[in-house]
Amino acid sequence: MSTVSKGDRKASLDAASWLFNVVTSVGIILVNKALMATYGFSFATTLTGLHFATTTLLTLILKSLGYIQTSHLPLSDIIKFVLFANFSIVGMNVSLMWNSVGFYQIAKLSMIPVSCFLEVVLDNVRYSRDTKLSIVLVLLGVAVCTVTDVSVNAKGFIAALIAVWSTALQQYYVHYLQRKYSIGSFNLLGHTAPAQAGSLLLVGPFLDYWLTGKRVDAYGYGLTSTLFIILSCTIAVGTNLSQFICIGRFTAVSFQVLGHMKTILVLILGFIFFGKEGLNLHVVLGMIVAIAGMVWYGNASSKPGGKERRSFSLPKTQDYSSLPVSSEPDTKA
């Protein structure tokens, strides 16, 4: 196969990975928004546990059918990953409860510089000036169109701090584990999803009761709300898988930067389906600035020296990957 053909195939797989992630992520946000706002199912942590339980079920079925090969992941790595992931989920929920929506959005934006810091320190990655400026432009654009009221208190700040660092570490670890053990996205999900499902379903009802004052077992489950829960769990399988695929093929920073396209799409679709309240000129300008920054980042990071790992390598074990994982983090989006 020629170099051009390989490059075209890789570009097609990259584009398909991003499209898969964008569609499933936007879809699950809209479904969950309808489920919580319209049908009053406000048990976010328990719902996330159901998401991972559904993902676990699918990985077990695919493994029994031979579509997922047997692979090994040390228990210590699984425990660390699950701790990072669960602290991320719980931290985000608590941060949203204790802080204003504006500060919650600022905390989400701060994941990008934290992820950059982790890559610089742990992977010895270096960014060019254009790559850094493009990241700043994305942050500025998303902040303009999402950050409104900003208020914070001590406990809310601590919750946001835990959420930001645990999320950044979880996403870094997705890329790290796939590179170190040469395992595919479904393999990694097969190792981590059962532990996440069990722990979140165990803790979720109590945490949701603490956050909302409502019991998940006392919720009035109707046909429509149950169908929405099933739909949310079904889409979540694609969301979880696509996140692992994208971070595995790219890096956590690229996933965060270009992932804000989902934020823009959610805003646009929210205005279309849930009313145009809050839509004004500065929101539109923010969207334009953010999109311009994403395009610039994709171009800048793909150039030689735009984003490169220096003198760093990981020992790899036998290749069990069922999905290709790129060894080149600098990919044009």
Side-chain angles (χ1 to χ4, degrees), residues 40-74:
F41 191 86
S42 55
F43 312 102
T45 308
T46 304
L47 182 61
T48 307
L50 292 173
H51 290 169
F52 282 105
T54 308
T55 303
T56 299
L57 179 61
L58 180 61
T59 57
L60 290 175
I61 293 174
L62 291 177
K63 189 172 183 179
S64 66
L65 294 174
Y67 289 105
I68 300 179
Q69 298 177 359
T70 302
S71 59
H72 172 70
L73 192 64

mmCIF file of all heavy atoms in Angstrom, residues 40-74:
data_model
loop_
_atom_site.group_PDB
_atom_site.id
_atom_site.type_symbol
_atom_site.label_atom_id
_atom_site.label_comp_id
_atom_site.label_asym_id
_atom_site.label_seq_id
_atom_site.Cartn_x
_atom_site.Cartn_y
_atom_site.Cartn_z
ATOM 1 N N GLY A 40 -37.843 14.699 34.950
ATOM 2 C CA GLY A 40 -37.429 14.829 36.344
ATOM 3 C C GLY A 40 -36.523 13.734 36.866
ATOM 4 O O GLY A 40 -36.419 13.540 38.083
ATOM 5 N N PHE A 41 -35.851 13.004 35.962
ATOM 6 C CA PHE A 41 -34.907 11.973 36.418
ATOM 7 C C PHE A 41 -33.563 12.648 36.680
ATOM 8 O O PHE A 41 -32.721 12.768 35.796
ATOM 9 C CB PHE A 41 -34.764 10.874 35.364
ATOM 10 C CG PHE A 41 -34.028 9.657 35.854
ATOM 11 C CD1 PHE A 41 -34.691 8.645 36.511
ATOM 12 C CD2 PHE A 41 -32.655 9.524 35.651
ATOM 13 C CE1 PHE A 41 -34.018 7.519 36.963
ATOM 14 C CE2 PHE A 41 -31.970 8.411 36.097
ATOM 15 C CZ PHE A 41 -32.648 7.406 36.759
ATOM 16 N N SER A 42 -33.340 13.085 37.914
ATOM 17 C CA SER A 42 -32.172 13.908 38.249
ATOM 18 C C SER A 42 -31.053 13.117 38.913
ATOM 19 O O SER A 42 -30.220 13.683 39.617
ATOM 20 C CB SER A 42 -32.609 15.047 39.185
ATOM 21 O OG SER A 42 -33.281 14.526 40.332
ATOM 22 N N PHE A 43 -31.021 11.818 38.680
ATOM 23 C CA PHE A 43 -30.044 10.948 39.359
ATOM 24 C C PHE A 43 -28.861 10.694 38.429
ATOM 25 O O PHE A 43 -28.715 9.605 37.854
ATOM 26 C CB PHE A 43 -30.727 9.647 39.784
ATOM 27 C CG PHE A 43 -32.043 9.867 40.481
ATOM 28 C CD1 PHE A 43 -33.241 9.687 39.806
ATOM 29 C CD2 PHE A 43 -32.077 10.287 41.803
ATOM 30 C CE1 PHE A 43 -34.456 9.909 40.433
ATOM 31 C CE2 PHE A 43 -33.287 10.505 42.448
ATOM 32 C CZ PHE A 43 -34.482 10.326 41.762
ATOM 33 N N ALA A 44 -28.009 11.696 38.299
ATOM 34 C CA ALA A 44 -26.945 11.673 37.292
ATOM 35 C C ALA A 44 -25.907 10.584 37.550
ATOM 36 O O ALA A 44 -25.467 9.895 36.616
ATOM 37 C CB ALA A 44 -26.266 13.040 37.234
ATOM 38 N N THR A 45 -25.501 10.411 38.798
ATOM 39 C CA THR A 45 -24.459 9.427 39.112
ATOM 40 C C THR A 45 -24.968 8.007 38.898
ATOM 41 O O THR A 45 -24.269 7.154 38.337
ATOM 42 C CB THR A 45 -23.969 9.606 40.551
ATOM 43 O OG1 THR A 45 -23.608 10.973 40.775
ATOM 44 C CG2 THR A 45 -22.754 8.730 40.822
ATOM 45 N N THR A 46 -26.200 7.742 39.344
ATOM 46 C CA THR A 46 -26.792 6.425 39.130
ATOM 47 C C THR A 46 -26.955 6.146 37.646
ATOM 48 O O THR A 46 -26.700 5.021 37.178
ATOM 49 C CB THR A 46 -28.159 6.330 39.826
ATOM 50 O OG1 THR A 46 -28.011 6.629 41.220
ATOM 51 C CG2 THR A 46 -28.754 4.941 39.668
ATOM 52 N N LEU A 47 -27.365 7.154 36.894
ATOM 53 C CA LEU A 47 -27.524 6.992 35.447
ATOM 54 C C LEU A 47 -26.190 6.652 34.792
ATOM 55 O O LEU A 47 -26.121 5.795 33.899
ATOM 56 C CB LEU A 47 -28.099 8.270 34.838
ATOM 57 C CG LEU A 47 -28.375 8.235 33.324
ATOM 58 C CD1 LEU A 47 -29.397 7.161 32.981
ATOM 59 C CD2 LEU A 47 -28.849 9.598 32.839
ATOM 60 N N THR A 48 -25.113 7.297 35.248
ATOM 61 C CA THR A 48 -23.783 6.983 34.714
ATOM 62 C C THR A 48 -23.397 5.545 35.032
ATOM 63 O O THR A 48 -22.786 4.852 34.204
ATOM 64 C CB THR A 48 -22.738 7.948 35.289
ATOM 65 O OG1 THR A 48 -23.148 9.293 35.071
ATOM 66 C CG2 THR A 48 -21.379 7.726 34.638
ATOM 67 N N GLY A 49 -23.763 5.079 36.231
ATOM 68 C CA GLY A 49 -23.520 3.679 36.570
ATOM 69 C C GLY A 49 -24.260 2.733 35.638
ATOM 70 O O GLY A 49 -23.713 1.705 35.219
ATOM 71 N N LEU A 50 -25.494 3.085 35.275
ATOM 72 C CA LEU A 50 -26.256 2.280 34.321
ATOM 73 C C LEU A 50 -25.601 2.300 32.943
ATOM 74 O O LEU A 50 -25.613 1.291 32.223
ATOM 75 C CB LEU A 50 -27.690 2.799 34.228
ATOM 76 C CG LEU A 50 -28.565 2.613 35.471
ATOM 77 C CD1 LEU A 50 -29.907 3.321 35.289
ATOM 78 C CD2 LEU A 50 -28.790 1.125 35.767
ATOM 79 N N HIS A 51 -25.025 3.453 32.586
ATOM 80 C CA HIS A 51 -24.299 3.555 31.310
ATOM 81 C C HIS A 51 -23.162 2.533 31.258
ATOM 82 O O HIS A 51 -22.997 1.811 30.260
ATOM 83 C CB HIS A 51 -23.724 4.954 31.133
ATOM 84 C CG HIS A 51 -24.761 6.004 30.896
ATOM 85 N ND1 HIS A 51 -24.473 7.355 30.936
ATOM 86 C CD2 HIS A 51 -26.094 5.906 30.619
ATOM 87 C CE1 HIS A 51 -25.582 8.034 30.687
ATOM 88 N NE2 HIS A 51 -26.564 7.180 30.496
ATOM 89 N N PHE A 52 -22.371 2.482 32.324
ATOM 90 C CA PHE A 52 -21.225 1.566 32.331
ATOM 91 C C PHE A 52 -21.668 0.113 32.477
ATOM 92 O O PHE A 52 -20.978 -0.798 31.996
ATOM 93 C CB PHE A 52 -20.243 1.952 33.437
ATOM 94 C CG PHE A 52 -19.375 3.122 33.083
ATOM 95 C CD1 PHE A 52 -19.603 4.369 33.632
ATOM 96 C CD2 PHE A 52 -18.344 2.992 32.168
ATOM 97 C CE1 PHE A 52 -18.813 5.459 33.277
ATOM 98 C CE2 PHE A 52 -17.551 4.063 31.809
ATOM 99 C CZ PHE A 52 -17.787 5.307 32.370
ATOM 100 N N ALA A 53 -22.810 -0.123 33.122
ATOM 101 C CA ALA A 53 -23.338 -1.486 33.202
ATOM 102 C C ALA A 53 -23.738 -1.978 31.807
ATOM 103 O O ALA A 53 -23.473 -3.126 31.436
ATOM 104 C CB ALA A 53 -24.541 -1.528 34.145
ATOM 105 N N THR A 54 -24.355 -1.090 31.018
ATOM 106 C CA THR A 54 -24.721 -1.440 29.643
ATOM 107 C C THR A 54 -23.474 -1.680 28.800
ATOM 108 O O THR A 54 -23.426 -2.622 27.996
ATOM 109 C CB THR A 54 -25.557 -0.305 29.013
ATOM 110 O OG1 THR A 54 -26.649 0.019 29.870
ATOM 111 C CG2 THR A 54 -26.083 -0.723 27.645
ATOM 112 N N THR A 55 -22.458 -0.829 28.989
ATOM 113 C CA THR A 55 -21.195 -1.002 28.264
ATOM 114 C C THR A 55 -20.538 -2.332 28.631
ATOM 115 O O THR A 55 -20.025 -3.045 27.758
ATOM 116 C CB THR A 55 -20.235 0.156 28.589
ATOM 117 O OG1 THR A 55 -20.864 1.404 28.271
ATOM 118 C CG2 THR A 55 -18.940 0.028 27.806
ATOM 119 N N THR A 56 -20.575 -2.666 29.918
ATOM 120 C CA THR A 56 -20.013 -3.945 30.375
ATOM 121 C C THR A 56 -20.724 -5.120 29.722
ATOM 122 O O THR A 56 -20.089 -6.077 29.258
ATOM 123 C CB THR A 56 -20.141 -4.060 31.906
ATOM 124 O OG1 THR A 56 -19.417 -2.996 32.527
ATOM 125 C CG2 THR A 56 -19.592 -5.399 32.396
ATOM 126 N N LEU A 57 -22.048 -5.048 29.666
ATOM 127 C CA LEU A 57 -22.835 -6.127 29.056
ATOM 128 C C LEU A 57 -22.450 -6.317 27.592
ATOM 129 O O LEU A 57 -22.264 -7.454 27.128
ATOM 130 C CB LEU A 57 -24.322 -5.802 29.179
ATOM 131 C CG LEU A 57 -25.294 -6.822 28.569
ATOM 132 C CD1 LEU A 57 -25.146 -8.178 29.258
ATOM 133 C CD2 LEU A 57 -26.731 -6.323 28.680
ATOM 134 N N LEU A 58 -22.301 -5.206 26.873
ATOM 135 C CA LEU A 58 -21.948 -5.309 25.452
ATOM 136 C C LEU A 58 -20.551 -5.896 25.263
ATOM 137 O O LEU A 58 -20.334 -6.735 24.385
ATOM 138 C CB LEU A 58 -22.031 -3.935 24.791
ATOM 139 C CG LEU A 58 -21.693 -3.911 23.289
ATOM 140 C CD1 LEU A 58 -22.661 -4.787 22.514
ATOM 141 C CD2 LEU A 58 -21.715 -2.483 22.755
ATOM 142 N N THR A 59 -19.586 -5.470 26.085
ATOM 143 C CA THR A 59 -18.223 -6.001 25.950
ATOM 144 C C THR A 59 -18.192 -7.500 26.257
ATOM 145 O O THR A 59 -17.455 -8.257 25.611
ATOM 146 C CB THR A 59 -17.247 -5.262 26.882
ATOM 147 O OG1 THR A 59 -17.695 -5.361 28.245
ATOM 148 C CG2 THR A 59 -17.134 -3.789 26.501
ATOM 149 N N LEU A 60 -18.998 -7.943 27.231
ATOM 150 C CA LEU A 60 -19.051 -9.375 27.544
ATOM 151 C C LEU A 60 -19.648 -10.173 26.382
ATOM 152 O O LEU A 60 -19.166 -11.266 26.063
ATOM 153 C CB LEU A 60 -19.879 -9.592 28.821
ATOM 154 C CG LEU A 60 -19.244 -9.117 30.128
ATOM 155 C CD1 LEU A 60 -20.229 -9.284 31.289
ATOM 156 C CD2 LEU A 60 -17.953 -9.885 30.416
ATOM 157 N N ILE A 61 -20.691 -9.614 25.752
ATOM 158 C CA ILE A 61 -21.307 -10.299 24.606
ATOM 159 C C ILE A 61 -20.314 -10.399 23.448
ATOM 160 O O ILE A 61 -20.143 -11.466 22.843
ATOM 161 C CB ILE A 61 -22.582 -9.550 24.162
ATOM 162 C CG1 ILE A 61 -23.660 -9.660 25.240
ATOM 163 C CG2 ILE A 61 -23.093 -10.107 22.833
ATOM 164 C CD1 ILE A 61 -24.897 -8.834 24.961
ATOM 165 N N LEU A 62 -19.635 -9.274 23.148
ATOM 166 C CA LEU A 62 -18.679 -9.268 22.040
ATOM 167 C C LEU A 62 -17.489 -10.179 22.326
ATOM 168 O O LEU A 62 -16.960 -10.828 21.422
ATOM 169 C CB LEU A 62 -18.199 -7.836 21.775
ATOM 170 C CG LEU A 62 -19.244 -6.881 21.192
ATOM 171 C CD1 LEU A 62 -18.661 -5.481 21.036
ATOM 172 C CD2 LEU A 62 -19.764 -7.391 19.856
ATOM 173 N N LYS A 63 -17.089 -10.247 23.598
ATOM 174 C CA LYS A 63 -15.978 -11.125 23.958
ATOM 175 C C LYS A 63 -16.374 -12.589 23.801
ATOM 176 O O LYS A 63 -15.583 -13.419 23.323
ATOM 177 C CB LYS A 63 -15.535 -10.848 25.388
ATOM 178 C CG LYS A 63 -14.245 -11.550 25.782
ATOM 179 C CD LYS A 63 -13.754 -11.086 27.143
ATOM 180 C CE LYS A 63 -12.422 -11.739 27.494
ATOM 181 N NZ LYS A 63 -11.916 -11.276 28.813
ATOM 182 N N SER A 64 -17.603 -12.917 24.198
ATOM 183 C CA SER A 64 -18.064 -14.299 24.068
ATOM 184 C C SER A 64 -18.211 -14.712 22.607
ATOM 185 O O SER A 64 -18.077 -15.896 22.267
ATOM 186 C CB SER A 64 -19.411 -14.471 24.784
ATOM 187 O OG SER A 64 -20.429 -13.715 24.144
ATOM 188 N N LEU A 65 -18.474 -13.728 21.729
ATOM 189 C CA LEU A 65 -18.604 -14.006 20.297
ATOM 190 C C LEU A 65 -17.262 -13.982 19.572
ATOM 191 O O LEU A 65 -17.197 -14.267 18.371
ATOM 192 C CB LEU A 65 -19.548 -12.982 19.649
ATOM 193 C CG LEU A 65 -21.011 -13.033 20.099
ATOM 194 C CD1 LEU A 65 -21.793 -11.882 19.487
ATOM 195 C CD2 LEU A 65 -21.649 -14.365 19.738
ATOM 196 N N GLY A 66 -16.194 -13.619 20.305
ATOM 197 C CA GLY A 66 -14.861 -13.630 19.723
ATOM 198 C C GLY A 66 -14.441 -12.347 19.038
ATOM 199 O O GLY A 66 -13.391 -12.300 18.395
ATOM 200 N N TYR A 67 -15.236 -11.286 19.182
ATOM 201 C CA TYR A 67 -14.886 -10.020 18.547
ATOM 202 C C TYR A 67 -13.870 -9.230 19.365
ATOM 203 O O TYR A 67 -13.242 -8.305 18.851
ATOM 204 C CB TYR A 67 -16.144 -9.171 18.328
ATOM 205 C CG TYR A 67 -17.049 -9.716 17.260
ATOM 206 C CD1 TYR A 67 -18.233 -10.367 17.608
ATOM 207 C CD2 TYR A 67 -16.729 -9.600 15.913
ATOM 208 C CE1 TYR A 67 -19.081 -10.881 16.634
ATOM 209 C CE2 TYR A 67 -17.565 -10.105 14.932
ATOM 210 C CZ TYR A 67 -18.738 -10.750 15.301
ATOM 211 O OH TYR A 67 -19.566 -11.253 14.340
ATOM 212 N N ILE A 68 -13.731 -9.547 20.648
ATOM 213 C CA ILE A 68 -12.742 -8.896 21.509
ATOM 214 C C ILE A 68 -11.774 -9.953 21.995
ATOM 215 O O ILE A 68 -12.177 -10.959 22.593
ATOM 216 C CB ILE A 68 -13.408 -8.201 22.721
ATOM 217 C CG1 ILE A 68 -14.388 -7.126 22.245
ATOM 218 C CG2 ILE A 68 -12.346 -7.570 23.609
ATOM 219 C CD1 ILE A 68 -15.097 -6.424 23.385
ATOM 220 N N GLN A 69 -10.503 -9.749 21.734
ATOM 221 C CA GLN A 69 -9.488 -10.716 22.131
ATOM 222 C C GLN A 69 -9.150 -10.554 23.611
ATOM 223 O O GLN A 69 -9.298 -9.479 24.191
ATOM 224 C CB GLN A 69 -8.224 -10.527 21.295
ATOM 225 C CG GLN A 69 -8.431 -10.763 19.805
ATOM 226 C CD GLN A 69 -7.178 -10.502 19.005
ATOM 227 O OE1 GLN A 69 -6.148 -10.130 19.566
ATOM 228 N NE2 GLN A 69 -7.262 -10.704 17.704
ATOM 229 N N THR A 70 -8.693 -11.634 24.206
ATOM 230 C CA THR A 70 -8.281 -11.604 25.598
ATOM 231 C C THR A 70 -7.016 -10.766 25.745
ATOM 232 O O THR A 70 -6.078 -10.880 24.961
ATOM 233 C CB THR A 70 -8.015 -13.026 26.111
ATOM 234 O OG1 THR A 70 -9.200 -13.809 25.959
ATOM 235 C CG2 THR A 70 -7.597 -12.994 27.580
ATOM 236 N N SER A 71 -6.990 -9.911 26.733
ATOM 237 C CA SER A 71 -5.826 -9.062 26.978
ATOM 238 C C SER A 71 -5.605 -8.940 28.481
ATOM 239 O O SER A 71 -6.480 -9.293 29.278
ATOM 240 C CB SER A 71 -6.017 -7.677 26.355
ATOM 241 O OG SER A 71 -7.160 -7.048 26.899
ATOM 242 N N HIS A 72 -4.454 -8.431 28.833
ATOM 243 C CA HIS A 72 -4.099 -8.310 30.250
ATOM 244 C C HIS A 72 -3.882 -6.857 30.624
ATOM 245 O O HIS A 72 -3.238 -6.105 29.885
ATOM 246 C CB HIS A 72 -2.820 -9.107 30.543
ATOM 247 C CG HIS A 72 -2.289 -8.877 31.937
ATOM 248 N ND1 HIS A 72 -2.938 -9.347 33.068
ATOM 249 C CD2 HIS A 72 -1.200 -8.189 32.375
ATOM 250 C CE1 HIS A 72 -2.248 -8.971 34.143
ATOM 251 N NE2 HIS A 72 -1.191 -8.279 33.750
ATOM 252 N N LEU A 73 -4.460 -6.465 31.751
ATOM 253 C CA LEU A 73 -4.237 -5.141 32.322
ATOM 254 C C LEU A 73 -4.074 -5.310 33.821
ATOM 255 O O LEU A 73 -4.969 -5.865 34.481
ATOM 256 C CB LEU A 73 -5.416 -4.215 32.015
ATOM 257 C CG LEU A 73 -5.210 -2.722 32.290
ATOM 258 C CD1 LEU A 73 -4.113 -2.160 31.387
ATOM 259 C CD2 LEU A 73 -6.505 -1.949 32.057
ATOM 260 N N PRO A 74 -2.938 -4.898 34.384
ATOM 261 C CA PRO A 74 -2.698 -5.090 35.820
ATOM 262 C C PRO A 74 -3.803 -4.484 36.678
ATOM 263 O O PRO A 74 -4.353 -3.420 36.354
ATOM 264 C CB PRO A 74 -1.362 -4.371 36.049
ATOM 265 C CG PRO A 74 -0.691 -4.389 34.718
ATOM 266 C CD PRO A 74 -1.794 -4.260 33.712
#
